Every structure is written in C-alpha cells, then in structure tokens.
C-alpha cells in the first residue's frame, strides 16, 4: 500500500488499474465497517439495537477478495521497490512508511474505538478518555501471537492489523533475497512463466490457499482470513511482478477465474451458515467450506486483476485528457496517493459517527446512510486538512513529502 502506483512486470509501465481497485477497496471499507454496526452476532465496537443477518451474507462477497487484493497489490509493488532500493533501502523505506504510521496511529487513534466500545456497552460507564488511556496501554508481550506480540486486556491493533502484517511480510523479503540470489531467482521465475503458458496453471495457487484455510482455519479478527493466508497473496503478487508472461496468463484465464470465484464462494456458503464455528470447526463440512473459500479468494483475484488488465490495455488513457475521463483520473490519483492515510483514518471515524447515530429513532437504512455519508465526509476532510498539508503530518501517515 505505500507505493502510490503498482508497476507492471518487466518494465511494461504503471498498473493504474490496480491503483483504482486498491482505492475502491479502501473507500469501500467505510461502507463495510458502517454495515457491521447493524450486523447480528458481531463484536463491532458500536452496535445498533436492531440488527439483521443479511449484513454478513452481503459482506461475505467483499471479504472473500477485498483484503486479499490489498496484499496482492502490495506484494506486486514490493518487487519493484526492492529492486530499485536494494534490501537495506527497501527495509528502511518500509519501516518509515509503515512503521511510523503504525506507531503514531496506535498512540493517537486506536484507543478511541475501544473507549467508545466501553461507553456503548454500558450506559453507566463514565470514565473519561484520559483516565481510560493508561488501561489501554497496560500491555505485555506474547510471542505466541506473532506478529501481534503486544497484547493487553483493552489494547488491540484494531484495523491496523493490516499494517502490522504488511510491514512483517515486507521485512520477510529482505532475507529472502539473500536465499534467492538473482541467478537462482531468474531460473525459478522462468520455470514458473513457462508453466503458466498452459491454460489454467495460473489458477493453481488457489490450492495452497485452500489447504491453509481448511487445515489452519480462518480468523474473524483479520478480515475473515487467516493471517498467513495473506502472506500467500502478498507473495503471489511479488512473484507476478517478476515476469510479463505471468501477467499475460492472468489476462488469458481471467474469465475462468471470474466464473470460478463466485461459484466456489456460493458453494462454501451453506457450510458457513450452518456450522457452529465454520472458521475453526474440525467437522468435515466446515473444513470443506473453508477450503472452497480459500480457493475462491485466488480465483476472484485472477478474475478481477485479469479483466481489469484486459480493459486497461484496450483503453489506454490519453495524456492530458479532459472532460469526465480526466476528472476521474485526477480524483483517483488524489485518492491513490492517500490510500494508507485513508485506511488509517477511516475506522475510528466510523466508530465515532456510529456512536452518535445509533441512538436516533430511525430505520436501519436511514442510520446506515447517515453513518456512511458522515464518515466518508469526515475521512476525506481529515485527509485533506489534517494529513496532506504539512511535511510532518505526511511523514506521520506514511506519505512522501511534497
């Protein structure tokens, strides 16, 4: 996510379509987290009195591909960043552009949703925010929860779990480059590219995801996927960036992926709806459902990325284009460079807005529309007025200086 644009493999230009889908995912999280306020059987920070099961069914269509897409795009951009900067420069850049926002947001933003959770759950709770802060930061180390090693009764990484994982995966790449020197890496990617010249081979990475999801299980706290499944999506993106033949294979098999993804997701739905805990149950139905879910995720990625790449190659933007196309391009450019700040800002704002809205006497749809509209406006305003304007705030939120 730190890269403003993800480049194509083998020097074939910028992947602006991936910028667009990444931006849409980040903005879409405002809609997704606002919906959790009204979802039955969730542990979201603020809950409406009236809830509905329909939210989780609808949200599942985003869960299966949205966060995996962010890791996939980040992996693709990491290949180019690593080769431009070298291992040491890459590690330093990631520590600055991911580690600094992580520490700053943990100190300044993360306590807010937890404090509002306490106030929302107990009408008699009257502890001030300043008095709550020491309890939030009463923490200990738990290496068994790696990479989420800082634990506490009230402390959490919240939505910043994405940043924790992305930083961890990025730093994994540094020793990986020592184990795979350039000559060996070139032979490996050449073998992969030749294999992917056969139809359907580019869909086979779905199998490790299916096995991992089935055997290790899924984690509700991390976007519905197991934390190490995201590592596979990240590495898949990293490998894809190494050779244009892999990109061409995704374009070729995009339609197959776009068909298989929804079919596999639909096939796993009965198990998720009927199992006591489909995320971890060892029952046959739950295991098979998780395997189908894991495979569906990669098929969705192939379908979405491949089809967007096909369209992008047909409809190259004209430099200096005006009218609606030019305005859309400028808007996506404006939002794309702020993907990380927008991600960091959105959830505390959604929770704060929801805390004020759920007490209104209004139907669910009206409350949902109010939360989405106000949260979007405040998130964008915060990005523009509080983040983009100064070198210090840009640094604290992982943006490059002007």
């Amino acid at each position: 996510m730190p890269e403003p644009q993800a480049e194509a493999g083998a020097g074939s230009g910028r992947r602006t379509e991936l910028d667009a889908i990444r931006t849409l995912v980040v903005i879409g999280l405002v809609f997704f987290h606002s919906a959790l306020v009204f979802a039955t059987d969730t542990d979201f920070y603020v809950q409406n009195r009236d809830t509905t099961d329909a939210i989780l069914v609808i949200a599942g269509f985003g869960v299966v591909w949205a966060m995996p897409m962010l890791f996939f795009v980040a992996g693709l951009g990491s290949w180019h960043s690593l080769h431009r900067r070298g291992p040491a420069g890459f590690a330093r850049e990631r520590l600055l552009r991911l580690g600094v926002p992580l520490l700053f947001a943990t100190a300044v933003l993360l306590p807010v949703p937890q404090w509002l959770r306490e106030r929302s759950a107990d009408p008699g709770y009257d502890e001030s925010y300043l008095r709550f802060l020491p309890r939030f930061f009463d923490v200990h180390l738990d290496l068994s929860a790696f990479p989420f090693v800082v634990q506490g009764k009230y402390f959490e990484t919240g939505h910043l779990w994405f940043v924790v994982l992305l930083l961890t995966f990025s730093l994994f790449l540094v020793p990986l480059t020592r184990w795979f020197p350039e000559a060996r890496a070139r032979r490996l990617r050449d073998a992969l590219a030749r294999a992917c010249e056969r139809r359907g081979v580019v869909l086979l990475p779905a199998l490790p995801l299916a096995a991992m999801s089935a055997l290790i299980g899924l984690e509700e706290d991390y976007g519905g996927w197991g934390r190490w499944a995201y590592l596979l999506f990240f590495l898949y993106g990293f490998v894809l960036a190494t050779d244009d033949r892999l990109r061409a294979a995704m374009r070729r098999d995009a339609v197959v992926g776009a068909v298989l993804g929804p079919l596999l997701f639909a096939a796993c739905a009965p198990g998720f709806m009927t199992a006591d805990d489909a995320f971890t149950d060892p029952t046959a139905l739950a295991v098979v459902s998780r395997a189908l879910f894991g495979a569906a995720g990669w098929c969705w990625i192939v379908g979405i990325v491949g089809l967007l790449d096909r369209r992008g190659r047909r409809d190259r933007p004209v430099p200096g284009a005006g009218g609606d196309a030019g305005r859309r391009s400028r808007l996506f450019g404006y939002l794309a460079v702020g993907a990380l700040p927008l991600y960091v800002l959105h959830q505390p704002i959604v929770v704060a807005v929801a805390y004020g809205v759920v007490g209104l006497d209004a139907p669910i749809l009206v409350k949902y529309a109010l939360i989405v509209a106000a949260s979007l406006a405040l998130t964008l305003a915060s990005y523009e007025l509080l983040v983009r304007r100064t070198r210090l705030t840009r640094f604290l939120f992982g943006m490059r200086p002007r």
Side-chain angles (χ1 to χ4, degrees):
M1 183 176 285
E3 292 299 317
Q5 290 187 314
E7 298 178 24
S12 57
R14 294 283 188 174
R15 300 290 302 272
T16 55
E17 79 280 4
L18 296 185
D19 259 351
I21 193 65
R22 182 187 59 182
T23 302
L24 289 174
V25 169
V26 172
I27 295 298
L29 289 172
V30 173
F31 293 81
F32 175 78
H33 287 129
S34 297
L36 294 184
V37 175
F38 308 96
T40 306
D41 296 330
T42 63
D43 188 34
F44 197 64
Y45 302 92
V46 176
Q47 287 281 285
N48 193 55
R49 182 178 64 254
D50 300 321
T51 59
T52 173
D53 292 327
I55 296 295
L56 294 182
V57 176
I58 297 170
F61 284 96
V63 167
V64 72
W65 67 269
M67 295 308 295
M69 180 68 76
L70 292 185
F71 283 101
F72 175 81
V73 174
L76 194 152
S78 294
W79 187 86
H80 299 281
S81 181
L82 182 62
H83 281 72
R84 281 199 309 273
R85 297 179 171 88
F90 175 77
R92 181 169 57 253
E93 187 262 355
R94 293 300 150 125
L95 285 169
L96 287 175
R97 299 193 61 206
L98 291 172
V100 170
L102 176 62
L103 292 175
F104 175 74
T106 298
V108 175
L109 298 178
L110 284 191
V112 174
Q114 281 290 65
W115 179 62
L116 292 177
R117 183 202 297 274
E118 297 295 308
R119 295 182 66 87
S120 178
D122 181 7
Y125 181 87
D126 61 356
E127 185 177 39
S128 71
Y129 183 66
L130 291 179
R131 291 186 61 188
F132 172 76
L133 283 178
R135 294 202 293 142
F136 179 84
F137 290 110
D138 183 10
V139 298
H140 62 275
L141 294 181
D142 182 0
L143 297 182
S144 67
F146 183 84
F148 306 99
V149 296
V150 180
Q151 299 285 318
K153 181 178 180 180
Y154 296 99
F155 180 86
E156 61 163 12
T157 55
H159 67 300
L160 297 184
W161 62 263
F162 169 74
V163 185
V164 173
L165 289 180
L166 184 54
L167 177 59
T168 302
F169 299 163
S170 298
L171 295 180
F172 280 170
L173 294 178
V174 175
L176 191 64
T177 59
R178 299 185 183 278
W179 298 336
F180 287 92
E182 181 59 30
R184 184 187 302 176
R186 189 183 305 113
R187 290 194 298 270
L188 177 60
R189 66 176 178 252
D190 190 58
L192 288 172
R194 288 198 307 270
C196 285
E197 291 173 356
R198 297 184 178 183
R199 295 192 70 87
V201 172
V202 76
L203 295 168
L204 292 182
L207 297 180
L209 284 164
M212 181 178 288
S213 299
L215 301 177
I216 299 178
L218 306 174
E219 298 179 276
E220 187 175 357
D221 290 341
Y222 308 124
W225 285 85
R227 67 191 75 177
W228 301 116
Y230 289 125
L231 176 59
L232 291 184
F233 285 110
F234 179 80
L235 292 176
Y236 290 167
F238 185 81
V239 171
L240 176 74
T242 64
D243 197 299
D244 271 342
R245 288 172 291 178
L246 300 174
R247 177 180 174 182
M250 291 190 77
R251 288 197 304 270
R252 183 196 63 217
D253 292 337
V255 173
V256 179
V259 172
L260 279 178
L263 287 177
L264 290 170
F265 178 73
C268 79
F272 278 92
M273 295 173 66
T274 58
D276 289 337
D277 183 5
F279 282 41
T280 58
D281 273 357
T283 61
L285 177 61
V287 169
V288 170
S289 298
R290 291 197 297 270
L292 293 171
F293 179 85
W298 178 244
C299 292
W300 278 82
I301 297 294
V302 172
I304 293 171
V305 172
L307 291 176
L308 285 174
D309 197 12
R310 284 185 180 187
R311 180 175 179 179
R313 291 171 71 84
R314 286 199 312 267
D315 306 324
R316 294 289 186 189
V318 178
D324 291 341
R327 284 191 290 272
R328 285 195 299 270
S329 178
R330 288 192 295 273
L331 176 61
F332 273 120
Y334 169 80
L335 295 176
V337 296
L340 181 59
L342 290 169
Y343 181 89
V344 170
L345 289 167
H346 87 277
Q347 183 160 290
I349 291 174
V350 168
V351 174
V353 171
Y355 179 76
V357 168
V358 293
L360 299 178
D361 184 16
I364 286 178
L365 286 177
V366 173
K367 292 182 180 180
Y368 176 69
L370 285 172
I371 294 172
V372 168
S375 298
L376 273 176
L378 289 171
T379 300
L380 293 173
S382 298
Y383 168 55
E384 173 62 29
L385 300 176
L386 302 179
V387 177
R388 293 184 72 247
R389 300 300 181 94
T390 72
R391 292 178 63 90
L392 175 60
T393 53
R394 292 176 72 91
F395 172 73
L396 292 174
F397 279 88
M399 298 182 70
R400 290 192 176 96
R402 290 180 184 274

